[in-house]
Amino acid sequence: MELYKALREIIEKRGTSVIEDKILVNILDDYKGYEEAKGLKNILRDFIDKNYSQKLLAIGGINSQTSALLTHFVHHNGYSRQLANYLLASLVYGLGWTNDEPVMQSEMNMPQDVLLETKHLEFRGLPLGISENEFKKGIEKVGFKKEGDKYFGYFHGEAKVELEYFASSYTGNVVSLNLNIPVNIEYWDWHKNKYDKLVEDFSKKYKLIHDWSFYLADYSETDSDQRKYEGLKDHKVQVSAKFENDYGSVFIDMRAGTIVIIYTDNDAFEKHKEGVSLDV
């Protein structure tokens, strides 16, 4: 019998607390519940032994915490995400939280989480929120090449834009990326013109939340371009814009010698924060 069908039958007979009991591992043997894939039995045993079943019951349904639980389990126990995802989807089905029958998917074609159809902020069609290894492969496919420990590529008319990214130590997934656009001409108007064009172009794709200029100390907007550039170098003049869509945010920050664009994925950031407090 398929694992998810066996789990529903067992849970209906014994109650939801059975998924916290190691006896479930042996009961499923009687149902031939592990025949779909080798390794499911060991994964379930660890899922129960390490209190993930208890956490699943405490969550009480399918939401971002369910997804974070799966990510935490895979990251800290080294199991195939394909099999772990199928196990968790089968448990969720067995608990009656969904009537969608799980399907064993290949690693190549499996979405990041079949339990939740999460959308992510994208850069050139490449979503953030995926694993670091998949992200690195994707970055090279969209034209960025690794030089030493950094990536460089073409962006917004500039040939050598540096790309950096941050991957969560808790989930292993990419949370944010930075683009550093070099501005080699030390003039205020060159920086500001480049910044304004970026704001104009990003406004066509994202909702503009703010476009601010800050003048600290004795600097002001009426200063000469040379003085404003000196203020930019001294971090006393700040120019930034923020954009959003349903999946994340983008900041553009004008600095002396560079313009920085920061992409942050909402879902990946929330899972990173949940990982800090996920006590399993």
Side-chain angles (χ1 to χ4, degrees):
M1 182 182 291
E2 290 91 340
L3 178 64
Y4 62 92
K5 291 180 180 178
L7 282 167
R8 178 163 285 192
E9 189 170 317
I10 294 165
I11 291 169
E12 286 176 349
K13 289 179 179 179
R14 294 175 175 261
T16 59
S17 62
V18 71
I19 74 166
E20 301 177 80
D21 194 330
K22 285 186 286 188
I23 193 174
L24 177 62
V25 177
N26 296 327
I27 294 173
L28 280 164
D29 266 327
D30 297 334
Y31 281 78
K32 301 185 186 304
Y34 306 115
E35 294 190 347
E36 292 162 280
K38 292 180 179 179
L40 283 171
K41 184 174 183 178
N42 290 334
I43 296 174
L44 176 61
R45 183 182 290 114
D46 267 0
F47 199 83
I48 296 171
D49 283 349
K50 297 179 180 179
N51 296 323
Y52 285 87
S53 290
Q54 182 181 7
K55 289 288 183 182
L56 180 62
L57 286 179
I59 291 169
I62 302 174
N63 54 38
S64 62
Q65 288 180 289
T66 320
S67 180
L69 187 74
L70 172 66
T71 299
H72 191 282
F73 177 71
V74 170
H75 185 62
H76 288 272
N77 294 279
Y79 286 118
S80 157
R81 188 173 183 98
Q82 172 204 17
L83 293 180
N85 195 91
Y86 180 72
L87 171 68
L88 183 55
S90 296
L91 285 166
V92 166
Y93 180 89
L95 288 165
W97 295 350
T98 179
N99 287 319
D100 294 334
E101 296 183 354
V103 176
M104 183 79 73
Q105 303 204 18
S106 70
E107 293 280 8
M108 181 71 68
N109 298 321
M110 191 185 73
Q112 184 68 12
D113 184 0
V114 300
L115 293 173
L116 297 170
E117 293 185 3
T118 303
K119 299 268 185 151
H120 293 284
L121 189 69
E122 294 184 349
F123 171 69
R124 288 189 175 169
L126 177 69
L128 281 70
I130 61 177
S131 72
E132 182 176 5
N133 286 338
E134 289 302 312
F135 184 80
K136 288 192 288 188
K137 292 176 186 175
I139 280 300
E140 294 190 354
K141 288 181 180 178
V142 298
F144 279 75
K145 303 299 181 185
K146 192 169 187 180
E147 298 181 20
D149 58 352
K150 297 181 179 179
Y151 288 89
F152 293 91
Y154 183 90
F155 182 81
H156 208 266
E158 302 300 321
K160 194 148 181 133
V161 174
E162 180 185 346
L163 184 148
E164 304 171 300
Y165 66 86
F166 167 71
S168 168
S169 57
Y170 302 100
T171 67
N173 297 335
V174 173
V175 174
S176 63
L177 72 82
N178 292 4
L179 296 171
N180 297 290
I181 301 176
V183 183
N184 298 318
I185 303 175
E186 294 191 359
Y187 292 108
W188 170 266
D189 58 352
W190 207 100
H191 280 69
K192 191 64 165 60
N193 289 340
K194 184 69 176 178
Y195 168 87
D196 287 342
K197 181 58 177 170
L198 283 163
V199 170
E200 178 186 344
D201 290 348
F202 272 75
S203 295
K204 297 173 184 175
K205 185 175 182 181
Y206 304 96
K207 180 181 179 182
L208 178 63
I209 304 302
H210 73 242
D211 181 10
W212 289 340
S213 298
F214 299 93
Y215 294 87
L216 309 178
D218 56 346
Y219 291 87
S220 75
E221 193 168 0
T222 59
D223 287 340
S224 67
D225 284 357
Q226 180 59 32
R227 179 162 172 75
K228 283 191 284 191
Y229 185 72
E230 291 299 321
L232 198 64
K233 288 198 295 184
D234 292 339
H235 306 290
K236 293 179 180 178
V237 174
Q238 300 173 4
V239 181
S240 67
K242 180 182 180 181
F243 303 85
E244 288 182 352
N245 66 12
D246 291 340
Y247 315 123
S249 61
V250 180
F251 282 90
I252 300 179
D253 189 15
M254 179 171 146
R255 305 175 188 178
T258 186
I259 294 175
V260 179
I261 304 174
I262 305 169
Y263 292 72
T264 303
D265 183 79
N266 288 341
D267 183 73
F269 181 70
E270 287 302 315
K271 287 177 182 175
H272 172 67
K273 290 197 303 183
E274 288 168 4
V276 177
S277 59
L278 194 57
D279 184 17
V280 293

